[in-house]
Amino acid sequence: MSGIDQLPPLREVIDTHGIAAKKSLGQNFLLDLNLTAKIARLAGDLSGSDVLEVGPGPGGLTRGLLAEGARRVLAVEMDPRCLPALADIGAAYPDRLQVIQGDALEVDALAHLTPPIKIAANLPYNVGTELLVRWLTPPDWPPFWDTLTLMFQREVAQRIVAQPGSKAYGRLALLAQWRADARIVMDLPPEAFSPPPKVSSAVVHLTALPAPRFPANAATLNKVVAAGFNQRRKMLRSALKSLGPDIEDHLIAAGIKPTERAEQVSLEQFCALARSLDGI
Ligand code: SAM
């Protein structure tokens, strides 16, 4: 029996169900249930919300989310070896856990969720970044989720919260900060995981804003930011040349020096540039 519920400790669960970590699935498990309960608390008040958890593995964070009072958890896990362990959790929390086996990049989770919805996950790096970009770029805003509480490599977490003038500042920071508040809320050393990864990790908490911070057309903003940071060493007047012959005029109209580089330009200025290009 563990501290937060009546279920066995995670090491025992992993042994019982033969869930030796697989590198190919990016499996670095959190085994300390006090830590997973703490991460669940960082997701906010869960009592009235459905929680989408991606990549539950043996269920450490799942148990944290349920113990912290999530109304329902929908867990999407690729590895079939984890299903019996997750079924045991479902039995301990009747009618509150639904598990879908599959690739989170393919599964239509929304069909199984009722608002308000929070998302929490400790995912492999590549899948996590791709899902984050998808969750931040729906055609309409606000999105289907209220908050995201996600574990990333620390270096990726820093890219999400980065400010202009820093090396980490780029497309991810602008995407995240345009339509959400983003904060690093916890740092974790490699030893917090089994097996320990090579790098440190951090939990990022994002809260969806009711409307984007500054007006802009999403597609235009995306195009401008992608072009600016694809050639981040270049001055913007040449990095953005492909956007039109009068790009210097648009830069000046947006209050940006044409000789500046993308990493010096604020979110507000990028939005002004997108509006100028759209003639609004
Ligand atoms: N959440 C658990 C924890 O904190 O201990 C497991 C974390 S482990 C870093 C990532 C989990 O995501 C693994 O269980 C892995 O099988 C699962 N996974 C990897 N790729 C996935 C995908 N595309 N869709 C769903 N789950 C995936």
Side-chain angles (χ1 to χ4, degrees):
M1 221 170 74
S2 68
I4 63 166
D5 54 33
Q6 306 296 308
L7 291 155
L10 282 160
R11 277 193 198 284
E12 198 178 311
V13 171
I14 286 171
D15 286 348
T16 308
H17 297 290
I19 318 176
K22 278 190 188 168
K23 219 177 176 172
S24 59
L25 285 169
Q27 292 182 335
N28 301 98
F29 300 133
L30 288 167
L31 301 186
D32 178 349
L33 287 159
N34 292 315
L35 193 58
T36 61
K38 191 168 168 193
I39 296 169
R41 282 197 291 280
L42 292 170
D45 178 6
L46 305 176
S47 57
S49 295
D50 277 10
V51 181
L52 169 61
E53 187 196 355
V54 186
L61 182 56
T62 320
R63 287 164 64 174
L65 294 165
L66 289 163
E68 288 302 317
R71 178 176 66 193
R72 267 184 77 245
V73 174
L74 172 67
V76 181
E77 171 58 58
M78 187 115 121
D79 185 352
R81 296 177 310 157
C82 299
L83 298 184
L86 296 168
D88 289 347
I89 302 173
Y93 291 95
D95 301 324
R96 289 175 58 201
L97 175 63
Q98 181 183 355
V99 179
I100 298 180
Q101 194 230 319
D103 182 345
L105 295 167
E106 311 282 334
V107 169
D108 177 15
L110 193 49
H112 303 270
L113 292 161
T114 308
I117 297 163
K118 294 180 189 294
I119 301 179
N122 170 23
L123 269 171
Y125 160 58
N126 54 342
V127 185
T129 311
E130 179 159 356
L131 283 171
L132 173 65
V133 170
R134 283 192 197 182
W135 289 328
L136 289 170
T137 53
D140 299 316
W141 201 264
F144 73 89
W145 52 269
D146 299 336
T147 62
L148 308 175
T149 308
L150 307 172
M151 181 86 70
F152 288 102
Q153 292 185 7
R154 186 157 168 80
E155 173 256 325
V156 178
Q158 280 166 333
R159 281 169 44 206
I160 296 169
V161 303
Q163 294 300 310
S166 69
K167 254 197 173 151
Y169 185 62
R171 183 164 170 258
L172 211 46
L174 287 155
L175 271 186
Q177 296 170 35
W178 183 42
R179 307 211 266 198
D181 267 326
R183 283 180 305 129
I184 292 180
V185 289
M186 189 193 251
D187 286 310
L188 291 97
E191 309 78 64
F193 300 85
S194 174
K198 288 202 177 72
V199 293
S200 296
S201 302
V203 178
V204 182
H205 184 74
L206 297 107
T207 306
L209 296 171
R213 217 175 281 278
F214 306 104
N217 173 280
T220 313
L221 180 63
N222 205 18
K223 203 165 66 181
V224 171
V225 169
F229 284 98
N230 269 347
Q231 304 184 326
R232 62 189 296 149
R233 304 255 117 249
K234 282 200 177 167
M235 292 180 194
L236 283 169
R237 67 175 173 215
S238 47
L240 300 184
K241 229 183 203 154
S242 62
L243 300 182
D246 49 358
I247 191 64
E248 287 213 33
D249 297 340
H250 289 294
L251 284 163
I252 291 163
I256 304 168
K257 281 196 209 127
T259 51
E260 228 152 27
R261 288 165 177 83
E263 66 185 37
Q264 303 295 337
V265 175
S266 69
L267 170 62
E268 186 169 10
Q269 289 173 313
F270 270 117
C271 290
L273 179 58
R275 288 198 303 276
S276 175
L277 283 162
D278 285 336
I280 49 175

